[in-house]
Amino acid sequence: NRENLRQLLLQLDDRGYKAYRDIKGSYQFTDFTLIIDRVQGDPFATPSQIRVIAPQSVAGFPTQLYQTPAREIALRDYLTRKFDSVVKNFSSHRGTGNSGLIAITYVGQSVLERTCVFVTDKSVEVRFIVGLPGRGRSISGRQAGEMLCEDIPLIVNQALKYSSLNAKAIQDHVETVEDAEWLRQELPKRGLVAFIPDGAILPRTSGVDDRPLSDEAVPFQSPPSLRVKFTCPNRGLVTGMGIAKGVTLIVGGGYHGKSTLLRSIELGVYNHIPNDGRELVVTNPAAVKIRAEDGRSIASVDISPFINQLPQNRSTRQFSTTNASGSTSQAANIIEALEAGTELLLVDEDTAATNFMIRDRRMQQLVAKDKEPITPFIDKVRQLYTDCGVSTILVMGGSGDYFDVADIAIAMDNFQPQDVTKEAKEIALKYRTERLKEGGDKFGSINPRILLPESIDPSRGNREVKLKVRDVDEVVFGTEEIDLASVEQIAERGQLRAIAEAIVYAKRQYINGESALPEILDGVMGDIESKGLDILSNLPEGDFVKFRRFELAAALNRLRSLKVK
Ligand code: ADP
Ligand code: MG
C-alpha cells in the first residue's frame, strides 16, 4: 500500500539510482491503485511509466458520458487535457535531469483516441510519466515519496473525480464530438465529401500554433447556392457549405484564404475540441492530402497513368527511385493513396509541382507529347472521379484551364467563399484553352503491391526492435530514418509512435510476401479497431494515438529499404 511504498522509497534514499527498479509493482492507495510499470535507469533517461486506476465508485462518471464510442473518446480526451493542466502545477525540478517531472502525452487541437486515459464501467485509468528524483546518480527517496505518495493522490482528486470537474464543460466536449462524428457520417447520405459550418474560425494563431486566430479572424459564411442544413443530435440546426463529390476548384487572389480553407478540410478527418473554431468542420475520413515531395524514395509504384516514357526508357509501371522529382513524387503520392483506398484527394497549388498540374496549349505546341513524360493532373482529375469514384478538392489560383474539368468553383474573396461556378463555365466557353487532351480516356487500374517482409527490418545492432520518433516528422526505424515531414495529416507525435509500432506489428502478423498492401492495412487497422492500440506493445504505453490507414501506408511507402514482389 501507500505506506509500504513510502517506506521503500525512504530506504532507497541516497542509494544508487538503479536501485529504483525495486519499486516496480502495484500499490493500493485509499482511492486508487498505483502501478509502476517501467523504471528509468538514470535521471536523464526517458521518465518512468506510471499508471493510476481509480474505480468508478471513486471516479463517479455518469454512464451517458462514455456509452457510445464517440462519447467515450471525447471523455477520455477531456480527462487527458484536465490531467495535463493539473499535473503542470505539481511538476517541478527536484534534482538532476528529469527529476520531479510529471507529464501526460502531448495533445493538440484534435480529439483522438489515445492510450493515456481509459474509461470503462469499472474504472478510470491514466498513464503518465514521472521523473523519479535523484541527486546526480543517487536516489532522493524522500522527494520521491512526496511525489508518488502525496502529489499523486492530490492530482487524482483534482483531475479524475467527476465531482471536482466542470460537468458542463465535459458535457459540451462530449456533445461537440458526437455532433462532429454524426455530421461526418451524414456526408455520404447527402452526396458530400466535406462540410464547413457557418461561423467556423479556420485561420490559426500562427504557423507554429494551431490554436484559433482570435481577434482578426473572419468567421466562415457559406454562399447561399452551396448552403446545406443539418439537424445535429445535440446542437440542433447547423448550416454551412457542403462540398459535393466530384471535382471542386478553390480559386481566388493570393492571401484570400484558400490554403487555410483546404487545411481545415484536411484536418476535418479528425474531430476537434470545442472552441477550436473547426469543431464542426468534417471531411470524408478517407481524404488524403497530396503534394509534391521531391527527394522521397518510391518502391515499385505504377505511376504510368501520369508519367510515361522517361529518359533512358525507364519503366513507370513499376517505378522505383531513391530520389523522386517533384512530379514523380506527386504521382506516386496519388497512386499510393488510391492503393490504400482514398475517396478524396486534396491538392494545394502551393505544394504541388507545376508541371504535374498544368501543361497549356503553347507548351504542348513547343514540347511535343513524345518528349514530355508527364500527363498533367488536369487530364486525369475527371477520370479519377468517373473511373475510380475518387473526388478532388483543388486549390488553384494560378490557372483557369481547370475551369473545364471542375464541377464547382468556389472563389475565396476576403476570406469568404463565393460560388463562381457559372462564371467559370461561361469563361471556359468564351476563352477556349485549345488544349489537346493527353493520356488517353481511361485512368487504368491500381494493382496493389505485395510487400516483401525481409525489406522491412526494425533491428539495429543487437536490438531486435529499435524505434524512435521525432515530433510529427520522423521515425527512426531500425537503421533507417523515415521522413514524414510532408505527410500533412499527422496531427500528433503519438500517432507516429503508434505507426512505428504498427509497422513492427504488421511485419509480425501480416507482411508475409503474399499479402498486398491493402490487406495488410485491413489486418492491422481491424485488429486495432477490435482490440485497441495496446496490441501494439507488451507494456501498457501511455503515448499511442490512433492513426489512419493512410498514414500507416505513408510510413511504409517512405521506408527506403522497402521492396515489393
Ligand atoms: P491563400 O492560400 O489564398 O494565399 P492563405 O489561406 O494562406 O491564403 O491565407 C493568408 C493569410 O490570411 C494567412 O495568414 C491566414 O492565417 C489568414 N487568414 C485565412 N483565413 C482567414 C480568416 N477567415 N480570417 C482572418 N485571417 C485569415
Ligand atoms: Mg495558398
Side-chain angles (χ1 to χ4, degrees):
N1 62 21
R2 171 158 82 156
E3 283 323 303
N4 302 133
L5 177 60
R6 200 201 305 271
Q7 285 309 319
L8 184 54
L9 288 166
L10 286 176
Q11 284 161 23
L12 291 177
D13 191 46
D14 249 354
R15 290 187 45 196
Y17 199 91
K18 289 255 187 295
Y20 259 136
R21 76 169 90 78
D22 292 354
I23 68 171
K24 238 164 91 167
S26 167
Y27 303 88
Q28 193 55 53
F29 283 43
T30 321
D31 276 353
F32 58 89
T33 312
L34 179 92
I35 302 167
I36 302 171
D37 280 315
R38 197 188 61 232
V39 176
Q40 65 205 98
D42 66 75
F44 294 97
T46 310
S48 305
Q49 178 82 33
I50 311 254
R51 254 186 305 160
V52 157
I53 302 179
Q56 279 292 8
S57 56
V58 169
F61 288 91
T63 350
Q64 58 95 358
L65 290 176
Y66 59 90
Q67 70 195 350
T68 65
R71 286 187 169 222
E72 185 201 317
I73 289 167
L75 176 61
R76 290 163 61 186
D77 178 86
Y78 184 90
L79 292 176
T80 304
R81 293 167 198 278
K82 183 68 194 173
F83 196 85
D84 181 56
S85 72
V86 169
V87 293
K88 286 212 163 91
N89 303 325
F90 288 88
S91 187
S92 60
H93 278 289
R94 300 191 194 201
T96 316
N98 291 320
S99 293
L101 176 81
I102 309 180
I104 193 160
T105 198
Y106 172 83
V107 297
Q109 294 291 107
S110 308
V111 177
L112 295 164
E113 182 174 0
R114 307 183 186 89
T115 57
C116 51
V117 174
F118 294 88
V119 179
T120 66
D121 279 334
K122 285 209 188 69
S123 63
V124 173
E125 173 178 339
V126 180
R127 301 172 184 177
F128 53 101
I129 54 172
V130 169
L132 294 170
R135 293 172 298 268
R137 304 273 157 193
S138 52
I139 289 174
S140 301
R142 200 179 46 79
Q143 304 218 7
E146 279 170 19
M147 287 181 76
L148 298 179
C149 304
E150 309 296 332
D151 290 355
I152 289 182
L154 292 174
I155 292 168
V156 170
N157 261 331
Q158 293 177 31
L160 300 185
K161 289 189 181 166
Y162 183 63
S163 57
S164 55
L165 300 177
N166 180 340
K168 196 171 162 300
I170 299 179
Q171 194 71 32
D172 185 36
H173 207 81
V174 162
E175 291 185 353
T176 300
V177 171
E178 186 171 59
D179 280 351
E181 199 64 31
W182 180 87
L183 279 169
R184 197 176 293 103
Q185 281 165 18
E186 286 297 299
L187 290 176
K189 300 179 199 165
R190 304 276 193 100
L192 301 176
V193 290
F195 171 73
I196 302 100
D198 293 328
I201 301 295
L202 308 185
R204 301 293 98 189
T205 301
S206 79
V208 292
D209 185 343
D210 209 29
R211 288 173 301 176
L213 180 69
S214 39
D215 304 337
E216 322 90 276
V218 179
F220 189 86
Q221 185 65 50
S222 58
S225 56
L226 300 177
R227 193 166 295 157
V228 289
K229 292 182 187 168
F230 290 98
T231 308
C232 293
N234 303 303
R235 200 168 293 205
L237 180 69
V238 172
T239 62
M241 182 171 85
I243 298 184
K245 291 200 249 179
V247 178
T248 301
L249 212 55
I250 299 173
V251 302
Y255 218 76
H256 278 255
K258 303 184 296 297
S259 295
T260 303
L261 171 60
L262 193 77
R263 182 72 186 142
S264 311
I265 294 170
E266 285 163 31
L267 294 177
V269 300
Y270 302 127
N271 297 323
H272 291 88
I273 56 173
N275 302 317
D276 169 76
R278 304 166 300 183
E279 59 267 43
L280 295 183
V281 176
V282 292
T283 305
N284 180 317
V288 177
K289 172 70 181 289
I290 298 296
R291 54 170 291 168
E293 193 184 344
D294 52 310
R296 65 159 286 194
S297 63
I298 298 173
S300 299
V301 175
D302 179 359
I303 56 171
S304 63
F306 294 106
I307 299 181
N308 253 309
Q309 289 161 334
L310 285 177
Q312 304 170 326
N313 265 332
R314 287 182 65 184
S315 160
T316 56
R317 295 209 161 271
Q318 285 194 312
F319 182 76
S320 299
T321 179
T322 56
N323 187 5
S325 67
S327 54
T328 49
S329 62
Q330 196 169 349
N333 285 346
I334 292 177
I335 303 294
E336 288 168 348
L338 295 170
E339 181 185 42
T342 186
E343 294 172 14
L344 172 64
L345 303 176
L346 305 172
V347 185
D348 190 331
E349 61 182 348
D350 292 351
T351 50
T354 306
N355 60 343
F356 183 80
M357 301 305 293
I358 48 179
R359 188 163 129 81
D360 66 13
R361 182 68 187 101
R362 287 180 172 175
M363 198 53 82
Q364 287 179 325
Q365 190 67 35
L366 185 67
V367 179
K369 181 64 199 161
D370 59 0
K371 295 262 164 42
E372 172 54 272
I374 304 169
T375 297
F377 192 62
I378 191 169
D379 289 314
K380 291 289 162 187
V381 66
R382 284 227 69 81
Q383 294 168 10
L384 274 167
Y385 185 55
T386 50
D387 298 0
C388 315
V390 174
S391 301
T392 296
I393 302 175
L394 168 63
V395 169
M396 179 56 83
S399 170
D401 285 6
Y402 271 90
F403 294 172
D404 290 319
V405 294
D407 295 303
I408 298 287
I410 298 164
M412 291 305 283
D413 180 4
N414 286 297
F415 310 129
Q416 293 297 4
Q418 276 158 22
D419 182 356
V420 294
T421 309
K422 201 161 152 277
E423 291 92 317
K425 290 292 175 194
E426 281 167 10
I427 291 166
L429 287 177
K430 192 163 163 206
Y431 304 97
R432 317 223 51 129
T433 68
E434 312 285 339
R435 276 191 83 251
L436 310 171
K437 213 161 155 13
E438 299 181 10
D441 306 328
K442 282 267 167 291
F443 188 81
S445 55
I446 302 294
N447 298 312
R449 293 163 301 159
I450 294 168
L451 309 189
L452 295 180
E454 59 273 22
S455 70
I456 301 166
D457 180 8
S459 74
R460 173 141 148 190
N462 51 14
R463 293 185 58 177
E464 210 176 310
V465 174
K466 164 76 186 174
L467 303 176
K468 206 174 156 189
V469 160
R470 217 179 54 207
D471 199 23
V472 293
D473 291 343
E474 188 184 282
V475 175
V476 173
F477 187 83
T479 54
E480 259 201 66
E481 283 158 20
I482 310 177
D483 183 357
L484 293 155
S486 298
V487 180
E488 295 177 301
Q489 287 165 297
I490 296 173
E492 284 180 18
R493 177 183 178 276
Q495 290 181 309
L496 272 198
R497 273 278 287 136
I499 286 171
E501 299 284 353
I503 298 177
V504 178
Y505 180 87
K507 174 164 174 174
R508 283 197 192 119
Q509 303 288 332
Y510 296 105
I511 303 177
N512 49 21
E514 276 158 39
S515 303
L517 183 56
E519 300 164 53
I520 295 165
L521 299 174
D522 287 346
V524 176
M525 301 314 289
D527 289 353
I528 291 172
E529 202 57 53
S530 60
K531 297 179 218 147
L533 286 163
D534 271 344
I535 58 164
L536 299 178
S537 68
N538 299 324
L539 267 185
E541 297 287 346
D543 61 354
F544 289 171
V545 179
K546 184 76 177 288
F547 54 88
R548 302 187 308 159
R549 62 192 283 123
F550 303 103
E551 282 70 39
L552 172 57
L556 277 163
N557 283 323
R558 282 160 185 74
L559 200 60
R560 289 184 173 270
S561 58
L562 185 68
K563 295 260 178 324
V564 312
K565 204 163 163 177

